[in-house]
Amino acid sequence: MIPEASAAVASRSSEKKAKSQVGATSSGAASHSEDESGNENRQKSVRRRKRACSVSENVKRKRAGASGGGVRRAQGKHAKEKQVEAVTLFEVITMGKSAIQAVIDDWIEAYVADRDSSLLDLISFFIQCCGCKGVVTAEMCQSKEDKDVKSKMVEELDEAAGLQYKRFLAFPWILTVTWPMDADSAEYPLVQSGPSGRWFHTEFCDFVSVLVAQCQHSILFDSYLMNGLISLLTELSNSFVRAFRHTSVKLLSSLLGVALSLSVGIENSQKLYDVQRAKTVRQKSTQQLDRIQKKISELQEKRVEVESMMDIIFKGVFLKRYRDMLPEIRSVCMEELGLWMKLYSSEFLNDSYLKYIGWMMHDKVPDVRLKCVLALQGLFGDPVLLPKLDLFISRFKKRLLSMVLDKDNEVAVQTMKLLVLISRATDDVLTAENYKQLLQVVFSSHRPLAATAGELLYSRILCAVTPTSDNRDETNEEEEQRQQMFVRLKALLQFYQESELHEHVVYLVDSLWDCGGSLLKDWPTLTAALLQNSPGFTAAEQAVIVEILVASVRQAAEGPALVGRSGAKKVMSTREKKIQADDCLNLTEHLFSVLPKLLSKFSRSSDTVASLMRIPQYFHPDSQEAKNAQLVSSLMTEMAAVLDLHSSPAVLEAAARTYLSLCGDGAAWASAARASRDSLVQRWVDQLTGLLGESLKGGCFSAEEEQTRQIVTTLKKLRAFHNCHDLGRLTVFDLLSPLLTEDGSKGGAPPEVLEEALQCMSFAMLWSLSTSGETLTCREKAVAQRLQLRLFCERSHRCLSHCDHGVRNQAFLGVCDVLIAHSYQLQVWDPTCFGPLLYTPSPRLQRALLTFVCMHVFVVPDCDSQSRVSESSEVERLEELHRRRNVLAAYCKLIVHGVLEMSVAAELYPFYVKHYSDFGDIIKETIYRTRQTDRMESARTLVLCLQQLFVQLKREQESGGRAHSGVQTFTCIKELARRFALTFGDPAKFRECLVMIHRNGVEFVFQEFRQTPDNATPPYLSYLTILSEFSNKLLKLDKKTVLSYLQKHTAEHIIDLREECWQPLIYYRASLLAVAETEDAASYISSDRRHCLHSRSPASKQKVEGFKSSCQTRPTEQVGKVNKPSISHSPQANAGDTDPFSVPPELRGKSFNMASTGLSTYSESDDGSVDVEL
């Protein structure tokens, strides 16, 4: 409702004045304050329920008083509030659809009685839905042609009063809306987030729809109601306030329903008219024909009028707002336009309206593009509308094809679904080149997009098979169905071979799984295609079929979780779990009997056998086939035969993991699998024992090439199985230990033998440590294990200096893994039982590990090596980088787990900045992990790193020789300190660490310094510049503490802060005084030095110039030799000088006490003054 208010709008200085004029003018004006509206009442659910019951009564009471004018309502407002609370149309939205229906019926009755007052209530409702919290005033407008009307349509700001004003025409009213200036940034109801916002938007749309539906048979065509509403919406859409621009275009959508009902009425009446005309003369009634014709004419006139209203709204609202700066408004416009085209295609579905959707598909906001695509899906999904879309699709097809690769995943998925609809609807829109481009998306990393592309692939290629004939018996039907599957499989193989885009079939199977499960789960057909003797598939095609078979088995057993593909469902429903269990049982029952035949047929192909050997990992343990001893024995025999033929890493790894899965508890085949595995491993150990016994005779390794090859092959098999299975009972460690005792210079074992032996021995030690809780039953066994660990570390230490790179790398990784496992077992050891005894690596081994990392990880390639790397393949470069990262990560784990001292990390941190792109993440994670273990020790390690680098730089400069490549410059050390400071996130959390860093730095500079005439400044004074990088992390209180500590150390020395040689001290102290975020040390130095020079006397300036001649060095050069400065000054000469060291800018103007030549600790008095003694 809009109560009475003043028509005099001249006094707009404040909202208070506007409210004070309520009830002061004639009955032709009205005003409204939303502060007294239903915003507060809307939040009171108890009152809401009570008011919902009395809606009709309140509205009738309002209608009865409408004839008395608005003045009487405004004057009796307070009296009515005491009796019953008024219910506005805005409040009705919060009461549900039933209340909306009743109130709108009553509002229509009130409109018939007093349409001016009721229209103002409706206008007020729309303004309140925009979130306006100000005052609305209205005055009568006699004519639209009034010259003064356009001059009054203004929108302005009153910054002094903090208000905004908008005047617009809603004939016959001129409305003035006043609201606070910050209303544009508020979250108005139409865009509120959360469930309440969505609920309000739904109720608002229902209100508008019910309003138009109830008025379509009465007041909708009175040329007054709709003119006012259309004028209101048009004017609001022109406002610069987004809350007003976000007016609902649902009015047009509601009018569509009226137009559709009118069209249906016209069509029914026309049918009735045709039936009456077809009757005979005796049955025909002229009066009835005239009455039907008149009704048709009335309905047509109403439809024309409704279409005229829709056209006005489209031009007045949509054309101005579909390019609005607010993306939410653009999205609403596109969504509603798609709805209009679908519901009222005769009027809106043409190229004049379709072009707006085509244009907005280039919008930079993903949600707007998504609404355009969704609107097109609704159009292309209706076959009746397709003929009207030919010109649009020919114009914007290129844009649709490019949107498949949209950066927003949802837009790309919906675009692909739209293209699938287009492909099914017509065959001449997308060309063969277009399909080739779209079908490649099946290899996308986003699973929903790949699955949608798989649907296009399945419908376009895999389903194009010859239909079966009707006259066939059961046998021929099965054979013909199998042939159809073969045709589909051929098409899939052809697509995969022609795409040449991806080498992993698992992604293709995952993309087709949802739509092509009937083909991919047809394991009898897949295995029949592999076992058939007829030349139906080539060897290359059969290899791809094997990959498809293995991928489908994995997909059925584990689900769509693939490495490198996102968007898959993480939680499976109960139905999906049931389907997965059934599929797993079906594949187990079929493949358990067929897999031995496949292994036997493809036993010569290493890659194919490696894929087939993975299938038993997905067998279901509850299958009936698992109880068939003959099938289990056949499978174990074929797997053993394959291992006798192949020694490639892929086959051995697949076999080891398959045996690990089959030997698990709970399956009927577990005992047979364990027996087969033990027999295989024992045979390999016996074979290796005989080969090594012959090769190690005479104190050195002597074996022929064939014998060496057999040793390497057997070691590879043992290493692959020892990685997954505990073979400790076979004493592999003792068997291989003699290989590491041989000296390479005296005929030691070949590098390939040593590398495999080191891996086997490291696995043996890891299994020994992992099972210590079960195997160590007495102290003697624990001592034996520690001796074995020491022996392994000593032998591996010797291999760190081997000439072969692979042996060195494997020895390093083996030592690191064993030491980390030993540290972990010490942490989880139960004191009540026997456990591993403590072993600490020797200092020689620790130095060797550190040297290995520094020499083989942080390597800077020279120009020749860079040219060679550029010529070599990118894959090799990445593999080498991956190897170096593994070495560094293994060494950092030793520090994190406490195997090595934390201070050792100070040798790694200098490479943090120089090799940040390759190893920065590993070193940064090491800093964080060590800080979690011991904050103070981690901070001391950072300090030690910086001080070591600084001392190395100073010694290099003092030596006067050529700069060494390993010595970092002062700028690099300062940048490293800045990176270290950034690792301290919350200063309050690391207060003690940061204070310790500063105290340690001050002591490093001043503690052992003795001032002499020849040595006036500390040799490490420039370190304070590096230390200042940590000052911004100090809290204000800690800065004062550190500054006091600095004054304590500098008080013993004679310091002339006007000399350049003391610049680092000035810089560091300024960094401690820089409290504000926008101020830094440099600003303090510049301001202090300018203040100092301006305040000096001419005599003192001359002295300063003389003093500077002996100290012309930069702060970055203070680590070098420092000449003797002139530091003797008289107290009279210094009395009038302003000291830049002691007077920060924020303390100027306060009282200072300057007396002596010694610099003492300053103290703050209660009145804020600072005393500094010089």
Side-chain angles (χ1 to χ4, degrees):
M1 295 186 301
I2 301 184
E4 292 297 327
S6 174
V9 210
S11 60
R12 298 180 179 175
S13 60
S14 67
E15 186 177 354
K16 181 177 179 180
K17 288 186 177 181
K19 291 183 177 179
S20 63
Q21 296 176 356
V22 174
T25 56
S26 63
S27 61
S31 69
H32 170 71
S33 173
E34 193 181 13
D35 294 334
E36 300 175 359
S37 67
N39 282 345
E40 295 180 6
N41 299 329
R42 184 165 56 92
Q43 302 173 1
K44 302 176 183 178
S45 59
V46 178
R47 293 183 180 179
R48 186 186 309 152
R49 299 188 190 99
K50 294 180 179 180
R51 275 189 246 115
C53 300
S54 58
V55 168
S56 301
E57 182 181 354
N58 291 337
V59 175
K60 289 178 181 179
R61 183 180 293 107
K62 179 184 68 173
R63 184 188 63 205
S67 58
V71 177
R72 193 163 60 247
R73 287 189 290 126
Q75 293 175 349
K77 172 183 168 187
H78 298 290
K80 287 185 178 181
E81 283 181 350
K82 296 179 181 179
Q83 298 176 1
V84 61
E85 285 190 73
V87 177
T88 64
L89 295 176
F90 184 79
E91 291 176 313
V92 172
I93 293 184
T94 65
M95 299 179 184
K97 196 167 185 178
S98 59
I100 291 175
Q101 186 80 26
V103 169
I104 288 179
D105 291 339
D106 292 339
W107 179 87
I108 293 175
E109 296 179 9
Y111 179 86
V112 175
D114 186 359
R115 64 181 188 178
D116 292 340
S117 177
S118 300
L119 180 59
L120 285 177
D121 289 342
L122 189 59
I123 291 174
S124 174
F125 162 76
F126 280 102
I127 294 177
Q128 291 178 59
C129 290
C130 295
C132 179
K133 297 182 180 180
V135 176
V136 181
T137 60
E139 56 183 302
M140 294 295 294
C141 175
Q142 300 298 330
S143 173
K144 289 185 179 181
E145 305 299 330
D146 191 356
K147 296 182 180 180
D148 297 333
V149 171
K150 293 185 179 181
S151 63
K152 294 179 181 180
M153 303 298 106
V154 294
E155 188 167 359
E156 57 188 21
L157 303 176
D158 187 351
E159 296 184 0
L163 299 176
Q164 303 180 72
Y165 302 96
K166 177 175 178 58
R167 303 193 71 192
F168 55 90
L169 177 65
F171 191 81
W173 301 99
I174 298 178
L175 302 178
T176 304
V177 184
T178 308
W179 70 97
M181 292 179 61
D182 59 348
D184 190 50
S185 61
E187 193 179 42
Y188 48 93
L190 285 177
V191 293
Q192 282 181 349
S193 58
S196 60
R198 293 191 295 269
W199 174 81
F200 176 84
H201 188 270
T202 302
E203 295 295 327
F204 173 75
C205 297
D206 291 342
F207 180 89
V208 177
S209 301
V210 173
L211 175 66
V212 175
Q214 294 296 102
C215 298
Q216 63 177 330
H217 301 296
S218 55
I219 61 176
L220 188 66
F221 303 98
D222 65 348
S223 301
Y224 183 79
L225 172 63
M226 294 307 299
N227 288 346
L229 290 181
I230 292 174
S231 178
L232 169 71
L233 297 179
T234 304
E235 291 295 333
L236 290 180
S237 65
N238 293 328
S239 174
F240 66 87
V241 180
R242 64 173 182 173
F244 286 163
R245 296 198 313 272
H246 201 170
T247 51
S248 176
V249 288
K250 285 290 181 179
L251 183 61
L252 178 53
S253 301
S254 303
L255 289 175
L256 288 177
V258 177
L260 288 175
S261 62
L262 291 175
S263 299
V264 172
I266 294 175
E267 184 178 356
N268 294 336
S269 300
Q270 187 65 41
K271 291 180 180 179
L272 182 60
Y273 182 80
D274 295 338
V275 170
Q276 291 293 334
R277 288 189 59 184
K279 291 181 180 181
T280 60
V281 179
R282 296 182 57 184
Q283 296 175 343
K284 187 182 302 183
S285 174
T286 307
Q287 295 181 354
Q288 190 173 3
L289 286 174
D290 295 340
R291 186 168 58 254
I292 295 176
Q293 184 64 38
K294 183 179 180 182
K295 182 179 179 181
I296 292 176
S297 302
E298 292 177 357
L299 292 177
Q300 289 176 347
E301 291 176 0
K302 289 184 177 181
R303 185 173 65 177
V304 171
E305 188 174 353
V306 170
E307 291 177 354
S308 175
M309 295 177 189
M310 293 190 297
D311 185 64
I312 295 174
I313 295 177
F314 181 85
K315 293 179 179 178
V317 178
F318 179 86
L319 289 183
K320 298 177 182 178
R321 296 280 64 84
Y322 83 97
R323 292 183 299 177
D324 194 279
M325 63 176 295
L326 195 66
E328 289 85 354
I329 298 178
R330 301 199 299 271
S331 299
V332 170
C333 289
M334 292 299 105
E335 184 178 9
E336 294 301 319
L337 180 59
L339 182 64
W340 303 339
M341 292 178 178
K342 184 175 178 60
L343 294 180
Y344 204 55
S345 57
S346 60
E347 178 68 21
F348 287 99
L349 189 55
N350 53 60
D351 299 328
S352 300
Y353 295 96
L354 282 170
K355 64 182 180 182
Y356 299 110
I357 292 183
W359 293 343
M360 298 309 292
M361 286 194 300
H362 296 80
D363 195 277
K364 61 181 180 180
V365 178
D367 187 64
V368 180
R369 302 194 298 271
L370 179 62
K371 291 298 189 296
C372 295
V373 175
L374 293 177
L376 291 175
Q377 287 182 10
L379 299 178
F380 280 96
D382 190 352
V384 181
L385 306 179
L386 291 178
K388 298 183 178 181
L389 298 170
D390 294 339
L391 183 59
F392 171 83
I393 197 62
S394 63
R395 170 65 179 82
F396 294 101
K397 183 180 72 172
K398 185 177 180 181
R399 174 57 184 162
L400 286 175
L401 294 174
S402 65
M403 288 177 67
V404 174
L405 304 178
D406 196 280
K407 63 180 181 180
D408 186 79
N409 290 328
E410 186 62 23
V411 175
V413 171
Q414 297 301 329
T415 304
M416 181 59 74
K417 290 183 179 180
L418 173 61
L419 292 172
V420 171
L421 287 175
I422 295 175
S423 173
R424 292 175 178 175
T426 178
D427 296 332
D428 55 351
V429 173
L430 299 177
T431 63
E433 188 66 26
N434 297 147
Y435 280 114
K436 183 178 180 181
Q437 175 185 350
L438 293 176
L439 294 180
Q440 291 178 351
V441 185
V442 294
F443 299 105
S444 172
S445 60
H446 188 60
R447 190 181 188 278
L449 178 60
T452 309
E455 186 179 349
L456 177 63
L457 171 64
Y458 188 79
S459 61
R460 185 69 185 177
I461 297 179
L462 304 184
C463 288
V465 295
T466 307
T468 60
S469 59
D470 297 334
N471 300 325
R472 61 185 184 276
D473 54 12
E474 185 176 355
T475 305
N476 293 334
E477 182 180 357
E478 294 179 358
E479 183 63 27
E480 191 169 354
Q481 185 177 2
R482 175 171 293 185
Q483 292 300 325
Q484 290 181 7
M485 286 296 181
F486 283 169
V487 172
R488 292 184 179 182
L489 191 57
K490 273 281 190 182
L492 180 60
L493 293 174
Q494 183 180 1
F495 165 76
Y496 177 76
Q497 292 174 350
E498 291 178 355
S499 63
E500 297 181 357
L501 185 64
H502 212 285
E503 59 181 3
H504 299 296
V505 185
V506 289
Y507 296 97
L508 177 61
V509 172
D510 182 46
S511 301
L512 292 170
W513 190 255
D514 297 336
C515 57
S518 59
L519 171 63
L520 299 176
K521 293 181 183 180
D522 192 358
W523 294 292
T525 302
L526 295 176
T527 54
L530 294 173
L531 294 174
Q532 66 179 358
N533 296 323
S534 58
F537 297 94
T538 63
E541 290 177 341
Q542 286 185 340
V544 177
I545 293 176
V546 169
E547 295 292 333
I548 293 175
L549 174 64
V550 177
S552 63
V553 168
R554 187 214 65 84
Q555 189 91 4
E558 293 184 350
L562 284 177
V563 177
R565 176 163 282 186
S566 60
K569 292 178 62 177
K570 296 182 179 180
V571 180
M572 299 177 62
S573 62
T574 306
R575 179 176 175 273
E576 291 173 340
K577 292 179 180 179
K578 179 66 168 55
I579 294 175
Q580 181 178 358
D582 294 341
D583 292 340
C584 197
L585 282 173
N586 293 334
L587 70 90
T588 304
E589 292 176 357
H590 175 72
L591 294 176
F592 213 107
S593 58
V594 178
L595 184 58
K597 301 177 183 178
L598 295 175
L599 290 174
S600 176
K601 180 178 180 180
F602 297 98
S603 59
R604 297 294 178 182
S605 176
S606 175
D607 296 336
T608 305
V609 167
S611 300
L612 292 174
M613 290 283 281
R614 298 202 308 266
I615 291 180
Q617 301 176 20
Y618 309 107
F619 282 171
H620 200 288
D622 298 334
S623 174
Q624 295 295 329
E625 303 294 332
K627 302 177 182 180
N628 192 332
Q630 184 178 0
L631 292 178
V632 174
S633 176
S634 175
L635 179 61
M636 296 300 129
T637 303
E638 292 298 333
M639 291 177 64
V642 168
L643 291 176
D644 291 338
L645 292 174
H646 300 281
S647 61
S648 63
V651 175
L652 294 178
E653 181 182 359
R657 294 185 179 275
T658 298
Y659 271 105
L660 179 64
S661 176
L662 295 177
C663 294
D665 298 333
W669 57 64
S671 58
R674 292 193 194 101
S676 177
R677 178 200 62 185
D678 295 342
S679 176
L680 276 174
V681 175
Q682 186 63 50
R683 180 154 52 90
W684 295 336
V685 171
D686 295 341
Q687 182 181 0
L688 182 62
T689 303
L691 292 172
L692 292 180
E694 298 177 1
S695 302
L696 295 177
K697 290 180 180 180
C700 63
F701 185 87
S702 58
E704 297 180 357
E705 183 178 354
E706 179 63 25
Q707 194 174 8
T708 303
R709 187 188 63 80
Q710 293 179 5
I711 293 175
V712 172
T713 300
T714 308
L715 284 175
K716 286 182 179 180
K717 295 177 180 179
L718 284 175
R719 184 252 304 163
F721 272 73
H722 215 336
N723 188 19
C724 300
H725 305 269
D726 182 13
L727 307 181
R729 58 184 180 79
L730 300 176
T731 63
V732 178
F733 186 91
D734 299 333
L735 176 62
L736 300 178
S737 180
L739 286 172
L740 303 183
T741 60
E742 302 298 331
D743 190 359
S745 61
K746 298 180 181 179
E752 57 270 16
V753 175
L754 289 178
E755 188 173 351
E756 296 295 337
L758 282 170
Q759 280 192 334
C760 289
M761 294 177 67
S762 65
F763 289 151
M765 285 303 309
L766 290 175
W767 277 109
S768 176
L769 292 171
S770 177
T771 58
S772 3
E774 303 172 0
T775 58
L776 299 183
T777 57
C778 61
R779 180 174 178 81
E780 288 75 13
K781 291 186 178 181
V783 172
Q785 186 192 67
R786 184 173 63 176
L787 292 175
Q788 195 179 48
L789 176 60
R790 179 181 300 172
L791 177 63
F792 174 76
C793 291
E794 291 176 354
R795 302 288 170 82
S796 299
H797 181 196
R798 185 180 303 170
C799 292
L800 287 176
S801 57
H802 197 275
C803 59
D804 185 74
H805 179 72
V807 175
R808 295 196 305 265
N809 189 68
Q810 183 56 47
F812 179 88
L813 294 177
V815 169
C816 292
D817 292 341
V818 169
L819 290 177
I820 292 172
H822 177 261
S823 173
Y824 176 75
Q825 291 300 325
L826 290 177
Q827 295 175 5
V828 300
W829 171 53
D830 186 4
T832 61
C833 305
F834 287 96
L837 299 179
L838 177 63
Y839 169 75
T840 303
S842 63
R844 292 180 61 252
L845 178 59
Q846 295 184 27
R847 288 194 299 270
L849 293 175
L850 178 60
T851 304
F852 184 87
V853 172
C854 295
M855 292 181 59
H856 297 91
V857 175
F858 304 107
V859 180
V860 180
D862 53 9
C863 298
D864 296 336
S865 62
Q866 287 180 356
S867 62
R868 289 195 296 269
V869 168
S870 61
E871 294 172 0
S872 62
S873 64
E874 184 71 12
V875 177
E876 294 179 358
R877 187 189 69 82
L878 292 178
E879 288 179 353
E880 176 65 17
L881 177 61
H882 180 65
R883 184 197 63 78
R884 293 160 59 193
R885 285 175 60 87
N886 284 341
V887 171
L888 178 61
Y891 186 79
C892 290
K893 288 178 183 178
L894 295 178
I895 301 174
V896 171
H897 290 279
V899 179
L900 302 178
E901 294 292 337
M902 197 177 295
S903 58
V904 179
E907 303 294 336
L908 302 179
Y909 294 163
F911 303 100
Y912 179 48
V913 177
K914 191 174 183 180
H915 298 270
Y916 184 81
S917 59
D918 295 335
F919 312 108
D921 56 337
I922 300 176
I923 299 178
K924 189 175 182 180
E925 186 66 21
T926 304
I927 296 175
Y928 286 146
R929 293 295 183 91
T930 54
R931 190 171 294 163
Q932 293 175 3
T933 304
D934 190 343
R935 295 181 183 178
M936 298 300 293
E937 187 63 26
S938 176
R940 291 190 187 96
T941 305
L942 299 180
V943 172
L944 178 61
C945 172
L946 295 175
Q947 292 178 358
Q948 287 179 350
L949 292 175
F950 183 79
V951 171
Q952 291 177 5
L953 176 62
K954 185 177 184 306
R955 290 175 181 174
E956 189 73 18
Q957 291 181 344
E958 289 178 350
S959 64
R962 186 176 179 181
H964 192 269
S965 59
V967 178
Q968 300 194 22
T969 62
F970 186 87
T971 305
C972 294
I973 301 174
K974 192 170 182 292
E975 174 63 19
L976 182 62
R978 187 185 71 83
R979 297 289 185 94
F980 286 164
L982 292 176
T983 60
F984 293 96
D986 185 7
K989 186 178 180 181
F990 302 102
R991 286 187 63 184
E992 298 179 358
C993 301
L994 293 169
V995 172
M996 185 275 299
I997 291 175
H998 284 271
R999 290 171 64 94
N1000 192 300
V1002 173
E1003 294 173 358
F1004 174 72
V1005 174
F1006 291 101
Q1007 193 170 24
E1008 299 180 358
F1009 171 63
R1010 296 293 180 268
Q1011 192 174 34
T1012 62
D1014 295 332
N1015 191 15
T1017 58
Y1020 298 155
L1021 184 64
S1022 295
Y1023 182 77
L1024 294 178
T1025 305
I1026 299 174
L1027 190 61
S1028 63
E1029 295 294 334
F1030 296 91
S1031 299
N1032 61 340
K1033 290 293 183 179
L1034 286 172
L1035 300 180
K1036 187 183 298 185
L1037 182 61
D1038 294 337
K1039 287 185 178 181
K1040 295 181 181 180
T1041 304
V1042 174
L1043 186 59
S1044 300
Y1045 193 73
L1046 175 66
Q1047 301 285 29
K1048 177 182 177 181
H1049 281 76
T1050 57
E1052 303 174 358
H1053 312 297
I1054 301 175
I1055 300 174
D1056 186 0
L1057 299 177
R1058 290 166 296 185
E1059 300 296 338
E1060 283 294 328
C1061 56
W1062 291 101
Q1063 183 75 11
L1065 181 60
I1066 300 175
Y1067 190 91
Y1068 178 59
R1069 185 179 182 276
S1071 68
L1072 295 176
L1073 293 175
V1075 180
E1077 294 182 358
T1078 57
E1079 298 173 339
D1080 55 1
S1083 63
Y1084 271 91
I1085 294 172
S1086 60
S1087 60
D1088 288 348
R1089 293 187 66 84
R1090 285 196 302 269
H1091 185 82
C1092 173
L1093 293 176
H1094 287 307
S1095 62
R1096 290 173 180 164
S1097 61
S1100 64
K1101 290 182 179 180
Q1102 294 176 0
K1103 292 182 180 181
V1104 170
E1105 296 297 332
F1107 298 152
K1108 285 185 178 179
S1109 62
S1110 60
C1111 298
Q1112 292 294 335
T1113 56
R1114 295 179 179 271
T1116 57
E1117 299 171 352
Q1118 294 303 317
V1119 295
K1121 186 175 181 181
V1122 182
N1123 296 328
K1124 177 181 177 181
S1126 300
I1127 57 175
S1128 59
H1129 300 84
S1130 62
Q1132 291 81 6
N1134 290 336
D1137 294 344
T1138 303
D1139 188 0
F1141 184 87
S1142 59
V1143 187
E1146 71 272 10
L1147 299 180
R1148 288 176 185 155
K1150 298 183 180 180
S1151 60
F1152 297 93
N1153 181 14
M1154 304 178 183
S1156 63
T1157 59
L1159 183 64
S1160 63
T1161 305
Y1162 80 93
S1163 60
E1164 293 190 9
S1165 58
D1166 295 336
D1167 59 354
S1169 62
V1170 179
D1171 297 334
V1172 181
E1173 297 181 359
L1174 286 175

